[in-house]
Each structure stands twice: as structure tokens, then as C-alpha cells.
Amino acid sequence: MEEQISTPIIGSEDGQAVLSTWSISVGDKISVGQIIGSIETNKAVLELESTKNGIVKELLVAAGSEIADLQPLVTVSIES
Amino acid sequence: MVKALAVDPTEVRKRKTIDLGQIPVNAFSKSFNESLTDLGNEKIIFSFKTMLIIREFELMLEEIKKQGKYQEVAFKYAGPAHLSIGQEASAVGQALALDSADIILGSHRSHGETLAKGLFAIEKLSEQELSTKINSIETKHIVEKFKSTKTSIKDQAIDIFLFGLISEIFGKQTGFNKGLGGSMHAFFTPFGIYPNNAIVGGSAPIATGIALYNRVQRKDNIVIANIGDASSACGPVWESMNFAAMGQFKNDKDKKIKGGLPIIYFFVNNFYGMGGQPIGETMGYENLARVGAGINPDKLHAEVIDGNNIFAVHDAINRAKEIIASGKGPVLLDCQTYRFSGHSPSDASSYRTKEEIDAWKDVDPIHILENNILENKLMNISEIEKMQKDIKALTFNAFKNAIDDEIAPRLPLHTNPEIVGELTFNNTTKEIDFNFEAETLTDPSQIQRIQSLSNKSRLGKVQDELLSGTKAITFRDAIFEPILEHAIHDDSLVIYGEENRDWGGAFGVYRGLTELLPNHRLFNSPIAEAAIVGTAVGYAMAGGRALVELMYADFIGRAGDEIFNQLAKWQAMSGGILKLPVTLRISVGSKYGAQHSQDWSSLLTHIPGLKVIYPATAYDAKGLMASALESNDPVVFVENQRLYDNVETINSLGIPRDYYKIEIGKPALVLEGKDITIFSVGACLNRALAAAEILKSKWNISAEIIDARSLVPFDPDLLIKSVAKTKKLVCISDACERGNWLHGVINLIYEKNGNDLKTKISSVMAPNWITPAAEQEWNYFPSVENILDAVMDQGIKLVGREHSSTVDVVKNFKNGI
């Protein structure tokens, strides 16, 4: 089964944010609460936490991309 | 503090007790002979003489107030006289222990403190130093009129000092502060005497700010905040003591500045406010010194001392100085004494008994010391009588000259009332010195935000495409850029406020500065708005430059006195001697309801003495922030949170990379038009532009838009010319209608453009009630539709559009809304 990790609702005026770095790669095993990347807004640099347990199948945006609130960022294969 | 202070639940949840320890009361036990050995004859005799001068000075004022004369010479004085008869030992014991460079700020009842500090400074300074000080910018207006006939520099200095003080009290132009301070505000910085305050406890935040300056600038002199016992109930006093004792000061790595602030909170405890009694009536503490236990584990080294014994006071100050020198300040001293005189001459002493006053007169500090001096043969009775006679002559001489309108005239306010206006602002600047490198922690180019700023577009729109705030410089970035330059190139600049470090301020304006600046130049303040603004006043007064922040305009009330009475007034109250380069950033919220979304810009403009800036574009924000930071006047920089993420789309050149300034006081012509003028304040500009676009596209109406940019000062010429051309005016502001700054502008336009106007001026302002919740905000703040209605009120037909809003002004007046 596959699920996605999405951008949290950041709360900046117009959702302006950039996925600044990834700290995971395809194939990595990740768990809930793990820091998987960072998001830069004009106000702050935020840590992106995993909301899933599983294996990273695909990174849906490249580092440096603008992202919107609730946009899917990672596809995760969920362990059964 | 950058994740360095861990909050460990195991530790937090342990069972234990907090040991408050003990606070000494009247611990001083030395005999007169021991003090004599310590100090020597001369210092004791000089102290005695100073006490006699203070007593005579206060008796003079009492006689003038009650009998209209002094030594048989009639004089009527209309101002206040809060006398300190009986409290002389506390002032003199304090001054005896201080160096001339140490700084005091006086209490509400400050003549004695001022006299003691000044006379001891004269005694301690060399003739050459004295000569410089009595011929300085602070004394120029005094010595031009008054010539001492004495031969020695010291005696001349005493004459000038007494004459300057009495002149100030009598409101004469030859007073220290040209008569604009008066009895409760007379001060003289060359002798280390900084402002006294008519606001009870008002000295505490300012003194704390001066101590902050001394710490940041690594100076050794200490500061004393003289405050009355009743001020211990005041929030700003409490905030100040907390501010001075902040844990982060103790933890600083820089040894030279490590430790709490170098300040003594010297409570002159005479047991009464005006008539209310803190102990037993208006406070629960039973002993004032107990409040030290609420501040830090050192209890502020609090002690109760005998304020009727100069040696006990001297000893306590000396020990406090040692504590401060070891980095363990601040210190609280509860100096118990008593005023024989009433609160003021009209005081009928309805709140205390004659027996109580007599019991204290039995321990009159002057008699105690006089008896000691006689018993130990330091002086004999005839020498003391001669001293008293000389002091009467000295005081009379100062009095006689100060009441002489030839020698001591008043400022000619009847013929030129604008003299005071001209002292309100100095309109000077300290230009940034790009060759100077201030203390920083790292090369700015290594900081992530600064790197990303250098990659951002300076234009908000490229080939008609609106860029996001991650790709183009935003309003937030535009504010940051000049602040960064000043942080790098001005060592005297400190930046603080709530959550300013790490967070970079609640709205991220300072993001990146934490990595750049050492903690002592950028730090988190306590949630203490009075202390934030009040300390900035003191820091600036001492010679520094402060950039401080109130997170929301709604918090202005929490710093009410510090903004309205201290920041706004001291330049004029000092007769133009003090400069207050403070930039106070205040944000106007949105979407946060009634206590976090109010636009109080108009309220700020009501207070004489504040420059008020309210930029609406990123380009203006950058240039105006640079001007604010260079200004030697206090500037309130209002930022609307709606704008922080905006990129620059209005100025076609975008936001220049280099440092630039925009003159404070000049509005901007944002859009040229011919049919109607829309005059906008603050964040309303974007709504004005949206309305103008609709007017153009739907009805081919050409609106001219002027953005105020600065509210105080404000040059109306551009607006006058515009209205002369369009003959129609709509004004918009997010501040509520009653007392709105725009009413003054509207009156001015009626006066200047009365013959041009086709109809009465229309205005759109927030109504006189609370800001509703986020979803309902646009039923409160001026909207594009409201502006279009106002345009229709100007007699412009918008075919097919219905007028949607009506305001019954008379009804609202009647209902108080």
C-alpha cells in the first residue's frame, strides 16, 4: 500500500514556502516524527516531519521547489 | 536561548522547597568613630554641609510656597514642590559613595538627590574637569546670563549649579533644561544626574536602560534608580527589576559584560505615598525589601538600611558597588527614612499624627550627625553656625539671581510659543558609517537568509508575472535590509523585544540576525512592554541607539507611560539637551480579533513628540526604516502584518539592493490621475489601488492615489496640489474614526482647497467599535467597496453600481459609537 506525506498547513499569508532540503532518499526507511527535510518560508525555516512509517518510494518535488499547503511531497510504501 | 536551556521534566517534577533565605535589616553596626576612621574629617564635614544645603534649599521652597517669600524677599512660585525635609541622609549617604561618573536618576521628590549628587561631583572633579563641565553645551544658556563672582572654579561651579537648579524649578530659561522640566524633572547630566520623574517609579525603566548601555558599552560606572516606596506597586518598576536581573545576562560568555545590569534600585522608603501607606495598607509585603526575593535567587541582594544614618547608606552603596563590579547585580536597597514635610505644601497631614512626626524629628538625620560632629570635636558650635549662615547666603544668592528677570528671564512663549515646538524634534541624524565594522559573530555572507536574499528578484513582477515571496524581496525583507546594515556598522545599536532572538521576532523580520549578532546586541526581552520601551529611552539617553519592538499595536497600552510620557517628552523636557534615537517597531495585526488587530496609528499621532511612519510598500519600508535608524529623534515605525509577504509591484524599479533613504514626512504619489484624489494611510493603499483599477476599467475614471507614508511629520503640499487638480478627495484609514489623524488632514484641505472642492470630502475609516473575528474583518476595515461608495459620494456616477453603505454620523455621535 502507498500513502503520501504532504506539506503541513504552514499558516503564512499565501502559503509561500520552499522545500529547501531533503534529508531522505528513495529507498530509505522512515518513521513517524522523523525529520525528513526542511521548509523555508519568509518567516522561518521549519523541519518537515514524517507522518508515516514506511519506505520512501518517490520524492515528488525537488529541493528548491515552491510548495503549497497540503501538497503531496513524498510517496511512501507502507509496511504491512 | 538557542535550545541551550533544556527543560527537564524529571528535574521539574521533583519534590523540593524553595529557600528564600534572609534579608538583613539595619545590619550596619559601626560606631561614629569607626566611620570617622574610615572616611576622615573632611568627607564627614562635607557630607554635613551638603545635608544642610539640602535642608536650606527645601526650607526655602517651603517658605516661598507657604509664605510667598524667602529671607524677606517676596516671590510667587506657582509650580509644585515635593520636598524631602528629613530625608537628607539617604541622598547624601548615597552621593558620598558615588564617583562623579556614576549616574543617578531622581525620584518624585528629587531635589535632595540632585543636590547631593551634584555637590559631591563638584567636590570630586578636578578643576580642569569642572571647568570643562561648566562651560559645556549643557551650561551655555546658564553661564551666558549668570556670572558667579567667586574666585575658585569649585565655588563658581556650586553657584552655577544652585542657580541652574533654582532657575529650573522656577521655570526660567536659565534653568538646567530652560525651565521646561521644572521641579520634578530638573537634571544635569554633566554631574551624572539624569532625569527625575513626575511619574511615580518612572525613573526605574529609564535607569535600567542606562545600565543596559553601560553594560553593552562595557563601562564601569553604575546607575542608581531613586524611586519611592509606593512605586514598588507599579508594574514598570517590577518589570525593570526583572529586566535588569534576566538570566541571560548572568550566562553571557563575554567576561567584561557578564552579569546582571549595573544598577541599584534605591527605594527611598518614607512610608507614605501621598498619604497611603504601602506597609500595612496598600501592599501586603510588610517589608519592601521582600520584593527582591521574587526576582532572583540573590533576592537582588536586598537589604533594609537606616536612611537616617549617612554611614549606613554609604556602606550599603559601597557594598552594592562591589556586588555590581563582580557581575552579580542588580541590587535593591530599601532605605527607610521619613519626610517631615508634607507630600506637597498643600498637604494637611490628615493621614498621620503629630506624635509620629515628632518621634521622627527626634531622630532628625541632621541633628544626629551634628551631635556626632560636636561630640567628636570635628567642628565647634560657632563653626557650625557660620556654616549655616554661609549656606543661607549661598542659597539666597542663587534665589535672588533666579528671581531676577534680567538675569533669569523666562522663555518668551507669549511672543514666540513655537520655541517649545522647535525643541520637540532635533531633526538631526547619525549617518551610517560603512567603513566601521561592529562586533558580529560571523561573516554576514555565511548566513542562509542573507544568501537567499541575494538570490531574490528585486522586482515583484517580471514580464507581468507576479513572483512569490520566496522568489522576490518582500516587505519583510525590505525592513530587514537596512536593519542588517545598521547592525553591521553601528556598535551602539541594540535590538530587542519579545521573541526577537531565535524566532527573529514573531513575524520573522529579524531571521538571520541571531546568527550574526552577539546576545548583548540582540536579545529576547521579558514580556514586559513598559520595560522594553522604557529601557530603550534610557539606552538612547545614555548615548546609544535602540531598535525595539512591540509585537502588536494593541500592546501600546502596556507601555503607555513609556511611550507617551517618556519617549515622547524627554527631548523637549530637557530643553533640547537630550537626544532619543529610538526606533520603536509596532505591528498592526489582522485576523486576530479585538485585541490583536487594532490600527492605533492615529492614537500615536496624538502624542506630541513622536515621529510616526506607516509605510505601505516594500520600497518605502526599506527607505523609511533606514531613515528611522539614522534619526536622532524617537520614531514609531508602524508595520501592517497584511503587508509582510508582499513583493514590490508598485515601484517600477523594484527595491534597490543598495542602502537608500526616504525622507521622513514626505507622502508619495503612487498613481497619477485627474478625476479624483484618494489619500491612503498605511495598508489601505492596496485597497485604494484595487479600487482605482476597477474605476479605470469599468468606468474609465482616473483616480490619483497619494500614500501618506509618514503621519508625523507630514508635508501636505502634494495632497493640496492634487486636490487643486482633481477637486475631489476620498481619505481612507484602518484606524477607527473618532480622533482619526485624517480629520486634521481633512480640516487642512478644507482650509487650503476650500474653493477647489466640488463637494464635501469623503472618508472611509474603521468604525468606533471592536475588530471582529478574522472571517468578518472586511465588515469592519475599509474595503474596496467602501472606497467605491465614497467615490460615488463625491458625485461621480458609477453607472450600474449601487451605493451599499451609509453611515449616520449624528446617530453614531449620540450613541457614542
Side-chain angles (χ1 to χ4, degrees), chain B residues 99-148:
Chain B
D99 292 330
S100 60
D102 289 332
I103 288 170
I104 67 153
L105 288 88
S107 67
H108 195 81
R109 190 176 303 288
S110 58
H111 303 151
E113 296 144 12
T114 302
L115 283 164
K117 180 68 170 76
L119 293 169
F120 271 92
I122 292 170
E123 184 68 6
K124 288 175 182 180
L125 286 164
S126 71
E127 287 207 347
Q128 196 181 348
E129 287 169 324
L130 259 185
S131 178
T132 310
K133 286 183 187 288
I134 60 173
N135 291 295
S136 61
I137 188 80
E138 290 86 354
T139 51
K140 191 167 173 282
H141 63 286
I142 304 174
V143 295
E144 268 174 3
K145 293 276 185 186
F146 172 77
K147 308 285 178 218
S148 170

